[in-house]
Amino acid sequence: MDREMKNEITLEFDAVSVNEGFARVAVAAFITSVNPTIEEISDVKTALSEAVTNAIIHGYEEKEGKVRVVCLLEGDRLTVEVKDKGKGIENVERAMEPLYTTKPELERSGMGFAFMEAFMDELEVESAVGEGTTVRMRKKLGTESYLGDEE
Amino acid sequence: MDREMKNEITLEFDAVSVNEGFARVAVAAFITSVNPTIEEISDVKTALSEAVTNAIIHGYEEKEGKVRVVCLLEGDRLTVEVKDKGKGIENVERAMEPLYTTKPELERSGMGFAFMEAFMDELEVESAVGEGTTVRMRKKLGTESYLGDEE
Amino acid sequence: MEENFKVIDNYLMVKMPEEIDHHQSAAISERADMFIIHKKVNNVVFDFEKTVFMDSSGIGIIMGRYKKVRCFGGKVFAVHVNGAIRRVIYLSGLHKVMDILE
Amino acid sequence: MEENFKVIDNYLMVKMPEEIDHHQSAAISERADMFIIHKKVNNVVFDFEKTVFMDSSGIGIIMGRYKKVRCFGGKVFAVHVNGAIRRVIYLSGLHKVMDILE
Ligand SMILES: Nc1ncnc2c1ncn2[C@@H]1O[C@H](COP(=O)(O)OP(=O)(O)O)[C@@H](O)[C@H]1O
Ligand SMILES: Nc1ncnc2c1ncn2[C@@H]1O[C@H](COP(=O)(O)OP(=O)(O)O)[C@@H](O)[C@H]1O
């Protein structure tokens, strides 16, 4: 594939936990075209899983709703956006602190945002109470291929 | 999963051939929740691949465009809809005849619609010239589980 | 699911699934607690042999069981911890409360 | 891709990929034709050992090569044909122009 080729996919699905696995497989299949390493695939799957789970359990509080995932590849640069129209976050900064969780009764560890930060290169969170939340993550993929590349 | 549970996903992606494989993997991952047989998974993948390829090469004639795939599970009944906003089909009946193809130069065999019919239970095609084409296919999945079921 | 839980002496052995996410986590925790409470086991061993994916829901399962058993002086262990699972465990700090057996 | 094409005497052996769809089909056809024309092979053997998926694009590859070689009295063969591939071949009627070797 052309190094600077753009390719975009959108997934939209019902906010039910059985679709967490579907979303991971779909996004992993989408990024294979740029030959990511196994570790990179695992990183992206984990970060995506955190964001999608959050939309389902915090955004919609396990009631009905739609989760939208937009993935864009520009060459080997991946952007993943996970969007819900759920309850939103009052204080994004506090929500992003490791170990902070509003659902300890569901055994949430408060590590979701920390994992997204650790496994991706960039993380942005936009949220408005009553309107919903958008999580945007970026990562450069296939970094191991540099050695053999003539650029 | 509840037998009559509903679950819907939508995929929207750029009309480029590298996304044919992505769409197959995504839809296969979506239907696993109802435990389809290996043959059923293969059937759905083949029918989907035909419809998506048609959207890309006939609908958009390999120019820019978006393909939309909507999958609905109602219990174990699957509906797959593949939609493009491409050139449309003048005569749907003739297009659906086996071996009929308008792109012999691309080595198309004219078997696409025949495969969709053979591998799915139902096939509907709606098309309008200059507006696009929608292919709707239905299939009951996990038919082998009847034996062990108390319904 | 039943076949993934086994009591040996004072230890509950839990075979973790291929993918550990929020979809299955509540069921695993509930089942494990049934054994901890009714069979009075003190220690829990999580076996990751089959596991290829775990997100932070897995942290919740392990931390939750740890909090239950430590009151009676029990411990939590992990076996067959491979690359991806190891990273999640260390990143979350779980290795500080859990013995990882190689 | 080169390593998937091999000439033995008068036969071109083509190792088909894991998934045969429109994405790769043109490249396979072009490459095969290069051998048919420049190395003057008469027969083509398609090997499906690795193949787990094939849609009607595969029919196009096989029919296209068949039309090329039959003018010189050549033939087209298939080996290692498994369940899913077999169904596609029989459904399309390809077995009438191609020898399937078990
Ligand atoms: N999509 C969302 N909608 C509403 N609230 C959210 C969303 N995502 C995260 N939050 C809030 O941020 C907190 C921290 O999130 P996170 O770090 O993922 O930990 P956890 O999911 O374990 O609670 C959550 O407990 C919740 O209050
Ligand atoms: N999405 C579409 N948009 C426009 N034309 C289409 C579309 N799908 C099918 N067609 C027309 O119907 C014909 C038959 O389709 P099909 O049976 O799939 O065979 P093939 O793809 O091998 O040509 C195509 O050659 C094309 O003219």
Side-chain angles (χ1 to χ4, degrees), chain A residues 56-71:
Chain A
I56 295 172
I57 63 177
H58 300 301
Y60 294 116
E61 300 196 289
E62 310 196 56
K63 293 181 204 86
E64 243 173 69
K66 292 274 184 194
V67 182
R68 205 181 158 86
V69 177
V70 182
C71 297

Side-chain angles (χ1 to χ4, degrees), chain B residues 26 28 38 44 64 67 72 116 136 141 148:
Chain B
I38 291 176
V44 171
E64 244 173 69
V67 182
L72 171 68
M116 294 181 233
R136 198 170 301 107
L141 300 176

Side-chain angles (χ1 to χ4, degrees), chain A residues 3-4 11 17 24 38-39 51 55 61 69 73-74 97 118 132 151:
Chain A
R3 275 191 88 67
E4 272 317 304
L11 315 174
S17 66
R24 288 197 300 271
I38 291 175
E39 190 163 306
E61 300 196 289
V69 177
L73 271 174
E74 296 165 289
E97 282 168 18
E151 228 175 343

